[in-house]
Amino acid sequence: MSEITPLANPRGVKRLCELCQRPARLQCSHCRVTYYCDSDHQGADWVGIHEKEQLIELSRATAQKKLFEGKHQEAVPAALLSLRCCVEIHGTSALQLVPSYLLLAEACTGLGNLTQAEEYLCRAEWTVLKKAECSRRLRHTLHRSLGLLHAAKGDLEGALEHLASDVYYASEEFGSDHIVTSGGYFHMANVFFRQNKMDIADSLYTEVTAIWHRHLSSLLEAHERSSSALADPPPEHSLSEAQQAEAQQVLGAILDIREQAPRPDPTQTAHAAHALALLHFLGTDAPKVVEFGRKALRCSQLVPDCGLTEPIERLLQLAESRSA
């Protein structure tokens, strides 16, 4: 919080307290757009701001989960709520608005309203261009949304260009083998699939499956350690609802592609099915664990000396003992 004086105001402009509308002498040093008459009113308003920040986080997580589930219309109200709260807190030109613009753009793209999606993305891109301090995390999500829009419009080369930038920024921020980065690989694979470049698409789908398989396997190990210690796993060893929905969407799509291939590869099918079984085990959906686990086991048994057979059998045993 920084102190202001009336003489510092532009001619004809009066800074008023956000709560009582009396002349203000303090300016919020965080957002630079709100003013207060004293520190008591500043403190009172910050309580409301923190509540709105929590609401933004919750509404964005809800919107993202709905998008991964393919429920684009249901994502719109949550995304709009996050945008309204951001404007109230940060003003109309802050970087904090960009994630909400991107959620709305993705929802509109899914609904086929490409003109509205393009408008939201233009706002997001313009905001990013004006701010030199924009993070790599935000740039990767912007390029992913732009890639999805170009793909929806049929501009596949433009889509690949933006998705490559998405992967670049995500790799810089999280690493090339992180589940966040794998989302860019997945969307690039979908574009190559549409271009009938099956070898490239297949290699990317394989990489996405491997990243999720490793991540879910590590989460299972953490889950078992916590169970032995009679404690809940730490937050970093669990998936958010949005991540669960993303994994289900991505791995489910890849498994469908593997099973529908002219010459299905049992090893690749087993990897995707085992990853889905791991996902549902962590989500405590026993019937799905058994369904995908048995499918993975059948495929792995078609491959001599397949290293997946033992882990799959062990997972099925864990699921059985949990249900007992």
Side-chain angles (χ1 to χ4, degrees):
M1 187 61 61
S2 56
E3 190 165 354
I4 60 173
T5 64
L7 293 177
N9 293 336
R11 184 183 297 273
V13 174
K14 294 182 179 181
R15 306 299 189 189
L16 302 178
C17 176
E18 194 76 11
L19 294 190
C20 66
Q21 300 302 302
R22 290 186 298 177
R25 64 180 183 83
L26 298 175
Q27 180 186 32
C28 176
S29 58
H30 176 68
C31 68
R32 313 294 298 179
V33 297
T34 55
Y35 300 86
Y36 304 96
C37 62
D38 57 31
S39 58
D40 289 339
H41 278 193
Q42 180 263 334
D45 197 40
W46 262 103
V47 174
I49 288 174
H50 284 307
E51 289 177 349
K52 286 179 182 176
E53 291 282 12
Q54 291 174 351
L55 185 57
I56 291 169
E57 185 177 345
L58 177 61
S59 57
R60 282 179 179 166
T62 300
Q64 188 65 77
K65 179 174 181 288
K66 295 295 184 183
L67 290 173
F68 284 133
E69 292 173 344
K71 301 175 181 177
H72 300 94
Q73 189 65 59
E74 293 181 26
V76 172
L80 283 172
L81 176 60
S82 72
L83 180 61
R84 285 196 296 270
C85 291
C86 272
V87 170
E88 290 175 10
I89 296 174
H90 303 289
T92 57
S93 60
L95 278 173
Q96 288 85 346
L97 275 63
V98 172
S100 299
Y101 286 143
L102 299 182
L103 289 169
L104 286 164
E106 188 173 345
C108 290
T109 299
L111 292 169
N113 190 348
L114 302 187
T115 301
Q116 184 65 61
E118 199 159 14
E119 182 179 333
Y120 282 125
L121 284 174
C122 283
R123 294 183 191 179
E125 195 168 16
W126 177 242
T127 302
V128 167
L129 288 172
K130 291 190 298 180
K131 306 289 185 179
E133 70 275 17
C134 180
S135 68
R136 292 173 298 193
R137 183 187 299 245
L138 199 56
R139 291 183 188 277
H140 109 74
T141 54
L142 172 61
H143 281 288
R144 184 169 299 182
S145 294
L146 287 166
L148 292 175
L149 176 64
H150 279 270
K153 293 167 66 175
D155 177 12
L156 301 186
E157 291 302 323
L160 287 174
E161 182 179 340
H162 282 292
L163 291 171
S165 295
D166 158 28
V167 169
Y168 169 77
Y169 286 116
S171 296
E172 288 286 301
E173 181 71 15
F174 304 101
S176 60
D177 58 351
H178 196 277
I179 57 171
V180 173
T181 309
S182 75
Y185 300 147
F186 174 71
H187 293 301
M188 290 184 77
N190 290 340
V191 174
F192 284 121
F193 189 91
R194 289 173 62 180
Q195 292 180 327
N196 204 31
K197 297 178 179 179
M198 304 308 295
D199 288 345
I200 303 176
D202 181 72
S203 66
L204 287 169
Y205 286 136
T206 299
E207 180 63 18
V208 173
T209 305
I211 290 172
W212 273 107
H213 191 275
R214 285 194 299 269
H215 185 69
L216 293 167
S217 296
S218 69
L219 293 184
L220 177 62
E221 291 174 6
H223 173 86
E224 290 184 283
R225 288 195 299 269
S226 299
S227 297
S228 299
L230 301 178
D232 292 329
E236 65 269 20
H237 290 149
S238 59
L239 293 173
S240 68
E241 288 188 355
Q243 288 173 325
Q244 291 177 40
E246 178 184 14
Q248 191 163 339
Q249 178 213 28
V250 169
L251 294 169
I254 292 174
L255 180 60
D256 287 343
I257 290 168
R258 297 305 190 196
E259 291 183 317
Q260 294 169 16
R263 295 181 179 178
D265 183 331
T267 301
Q268 300 295 351
T269 304
H271 264 101
H274 185 213
L276 279 163
L278 288 166
L279 175 66
H280 288 294
F281 182 85
L282 294 166
T284 66
D285 188 343
K288 290 290 184 181
V289 178
V290 174
E291 175 189 344
F292 289 112
R294 287 177 176 171
K295 181 177 293 188
L297 185 60
R298 286 195 299 271
C299 291
S300 71
Q301 289 172 339
L302 297 174
V303 182
D305 301 320
C306 181
L308 280 177
T309 301
E310 185 178 341
I312 294 168
E313 289 175 337
R314 183 165 169 274
L315 180 64
L316 287 169
Q317 290 170 359
L318 286 173
E320 184 178 344
S321 62
R322 176 189 280 180
S323 301

